[in-house]
Amino acid sequence: MATQRKSIHGEWSSNWAFILATTGAAVGLGNIWKFPYIAGENGGGAFVLVYLVCVLILGIPIMMAEVIVGRRGRQNPANTMRSVALESNASQHWQWAGGLIILAGFLILTYYSVIAGWAMDYVFQAAFGHFNHQSSSQISQLFNDLVSSPYRLIFWHSMIMIGTVTVVALGVEKGLERSIRFMFPTMLILLLIVIGYSIKTGFFGQGLSFLFKPDLHAVTGKSVLVALGHAFFTLSIATGSIMMYGAYVPQTTSIPKAIIAIAIGDTLIALLAGLAIFPIVFAHGLEPGAGPGLIFKTLPLAFGNMQYGQFVGTLFFIMLVFAAFTSAISLIEPTVAWLIENFRLSRLRASMLAGFAIWLIGFGTIFSFNVWSDYTVHGKNFFDMLDYFTANIMLPLGGMLVAVFAAWKLAKQTVVEELRTNNGLLYTSWHFVIGYITPIAVLVVFFNSI
Ligand code: PHE
């Protein structure tokens, strides 16, 4: 019989609640902002293919491992890994792997919140009709005006962090569950509307082949690492989010089914975002490799020229902020739980403390686009370095450690109990992937890219 440890922070009210919250954590800026721009920077098709393979053979099994370990430990990832290690007669030093993934989530939120702030600014720009009938250079100028103003960025970053801290402090899971239920289908419909516009540009075929026709010459060691890092980022793996949400999973949930559903939904949103954006890029002669501003320079062109674009655009950016927000909450929760469990802080204090630290470090990202834009190392500013270090180094490393832990330290009995399965094949294939394929793949990719 499984040990019935309980989380002091509560539990999801149902199977559905877990699926919705985890979908909320997974779907976010990674799908709509990051995926298109890094696909653009890394040459499209081949990159997308590697990303899809990574989601399938590395992402899904590691995600399952995180939920298994999380539900077994029912605490923040560091304490969870320590207790699960001890109960499996492994070293308590595994808690450091938990600490690493908490830190990754913490660092990611410092820039994630800034980008979510861009989206919030765009809600108002869309609502006030700033995109209506603008040329692509005027639209690009709007973006440049935004990122060159530290005050505007600080304002929006602060709004996002205040919102995040408030929700996490109150622990309003109910409200979140309800809103994610509504967010996911709305986002789907809005993306389809933009795709409808993209089809009309006459460049849909070009967008399609850019995304799905792999040019294997475009594959470099570095682009494979970026694809691997992004597969982890978009599924929220190795950032504490999934393990933490796993800690709140009811004993009755079927982990494999839930995870597969979430991963499919997440991938679908990213691919639709790519299909919406690249035809616009080609129709206006823009650069696919335009970098982090890509969606902000393309989508407004669609909204500015389509019927009811002002309304559709406003709704789109509201949904984007919302999607980012549900991810932000999952990024801060492990740090908050860690502070509560280890320093006996109240939830309110823990959230404020974590939020304040993240808010402050966020200034580094804000300044990367203006006052510090000249400070670069190998052409990378502070934001680029932070993003590279977290997504492409910390996440693969953390994911690998979790995989090795789950495959080689957890007793088979524990896994079988947690997976609630008598299906020997499921266990064997999962174990094979996580025990051999994942560590080898991560190591190979690492060494090829340096
Ligand atoms: N997966 C989220 C996205 O794609 C970002 C995220 C990363 C959220 C890590 C939680 C943890 O936007």
Side-chain angles (χ1 to χ4, degrees):
M1 215 20 234
T3 18
Q4 300 285 340
R5 207 179 262 136
K6 285 233 175 303
S7 158
I8 60 164
H9 312 285
E11 200 173 274
W12 303 114
S13 57
S14 66
N15 209 349
W16 251 111
F18 164 67
I19 296 186
L20 286 171
T22 310
T23 304
V27 175
L29 295 170
N31 307 64
I32 291 166
W33 160 74
K34 194 172 183 193
F35 170 72
Y37 100 73
I38 57 176
E41 285 180 339
N42 290 281
F47 173 87
V48 175
L49 187 66
V50 179
Y51 152 77
L52 291 175
V53 171
C54 289
V55 166
L56 198 68
I57 65 168
L58 306 177
I60 293 177
I62 299 182
M63 227 172 151
M64 283 167 46
E66 283 204 35
V67 180
I68 292 171
V69 174
R71 180 161 71 179
R72 193 74 181 185
R74 294 227 185 267
Q75 299 153 71
N76 76 74
N79 295 9
T80 279
M81 287 199 69
R82 187 182 53 226
S83 8
V84 177
L86 290 177
E87 104 185 16
S88 319
N89 297 322
S91 156
Q92 63 165 342
H93 289 307
W94 281 100
Q95 67 181 312
W96 293 102
L100 173 82
I101 68 178
I102 298 178
L103 183 64
F106 174 90
L107 289 176
I108 288 174
L109 186 52
T110 69
Y111 74 78
Y112 200 84
S113 160
V114 175
I115 314 292
W118 298 358
M120 213 171 190
D121 185 277
Y122 270 53
V123 170
F124 293 92
Q125 302 225 34
F128 292 131
H130 292 182
F131 306 146
N132 297 350
H133 311 297
Q134 299 287 301
S135 69
S136 73
S137 62
Q138 284 165 319
I139 294 286
S140 292
Q141 192 54 42
L142 289 177
F143 178 72
N144 296 337
D145 288 345
L146 169 65
V147 295
S148 53
S149 162
Y151 295 109
R152 248 166 100 187
L153 298 182
I154 291 171
F155 176 75
W156 293 121
H157 167 56
S158 310
M159 291 294 133
I160 299 282
M161 285 313 302
I162 290 171
T164 306
V165 166
T166 309
V167 172
V168 174
L170 295 175
V172 286
E173 286 93 3
K174 277 278 166 322
L176 268 187
E177 283 176 40
R178 223 171 290 138
S179 13
I180 293 167
R181 198 171 293 210
F182 153 84
M183 173 197 85
F184 191 79
T186 316
M187 201 72 206
L188 267 180
I189 294 171
L190 288 167
L191 282 171
L192 291 174
I193 294 177
V194 182
I195 290 179
Y197 171 83
S198 294
I199 291 175
K200 281 204 254 159
T201 61
F203 284 78
F204 193 71
Q206 211 166 322
L208 204 62
S209 71
F210 180 78
L211 273 177
F212 294 112
K213 210 162 122 206
D215 166 12
L216 293 177
H217 299 293
V219 181
T220 61
K222 191 187 141 256
S223 67
V224 174
L225 179 64
V226 175
L228 173 81
H230 187 65
F232 287 24
F233 182 91
T234 191
L235 295 175
S236 308
I237 292 172
T239 53
S241 298
I242 300 296
M243 198 180 283
M244 193 73 239
Y245 279 12
Y248 308 150
V249 170
Q251 215 58 31
T252 50
T253 296
S254 156
I255 296 176
K257 273 195 214 133
I259 295 299
I260 290 172
I262 295 163
I264 292 178
D266 185 75
T267 310
L268 185 71
I269 297 271
L271 296 179
L272 290 179
L275 282 178
I277 286 159
F278 283 105
I280 307 178
V281 170
F282 296 120
H284 290 87
L286 295 162
E287 258 307 303
L294 187 69
I295 66 158
F296 295 95
K297 294 175 180 170
T298 48
L299 291 176
L301 284 167
F303 301 134
N305 289 303
M306 68 165 70
Q307 223 185 356
Y308 309 116
Q310 199 161 337
F311 174 72
V312 175
T314 311
L315 195 58
F316 183 90
F317 284 109
I318 291 178
M319 286 299 119
L320 185 57
V321 170
F322 196 74
F325 195 63
T326 53
S327 297
I329 289 166
S330 77
L331 281 162
I332 202 175
E333 177 67 17
T335 305
V336 171
W338 180 76
L339 288 170
I340 295 175
E341 288 168 26
N342 295 331
F343 301 94
R344 306 200 173 283
L345 295 185
S346 66
R347 183 161 266 276
L348 178 66
R349 290 209 171 169
S351 318
M352 285 178 40
L353 187 64
F356 180 72
I358 290 167
W359 177 76
L360 211 58
I361 302 174
F363 281 54
T365 292
I366 290 181
F367 295 152
S368 302
F369 295 95
N370 37 67
V371 288
W372 290 354
S373 60
D374 291 335
Y375 295 103
T376 57
V377 181
H378 296 301
K380 284 186 168 19
N381 60 30
F382 177 88
F383 159 71
D384 298 326
M385 284 190 283
L386 187 61
D387 173 38
Y388 193 86
F389 182 70
T390 49
N392 303 334
I393 311 236
M394 291 182 89
L395 300 197
L397 198 64
M400 184 175 84
L401 290 173
V402 171
V404 169
F405 178 75
W408 302 115
K409 297 296 166 183
L410 281 189
K412 174 171 179 187
Q413 189 52 30
T414 307
V415 178
V416 171
E417 275 172 17
E418 290 297 330
L419 282 179
R420 304 263 164 301
T421 176
N422 303 319
N423 184 339
L425 186 66
L426 177 73
Y427 175 80
T428 316
S429 38
W430 174 82
H431 188 267
F432 178 74
V433 170
I434 204 135
Y436 297 98
I437 310 265
T438 309
I440 295 173
V442 171
L443 289 177
V444 168
V445 174
F446 258 147
F447 287 111
N448 271 320
S449 69
I450 44 181

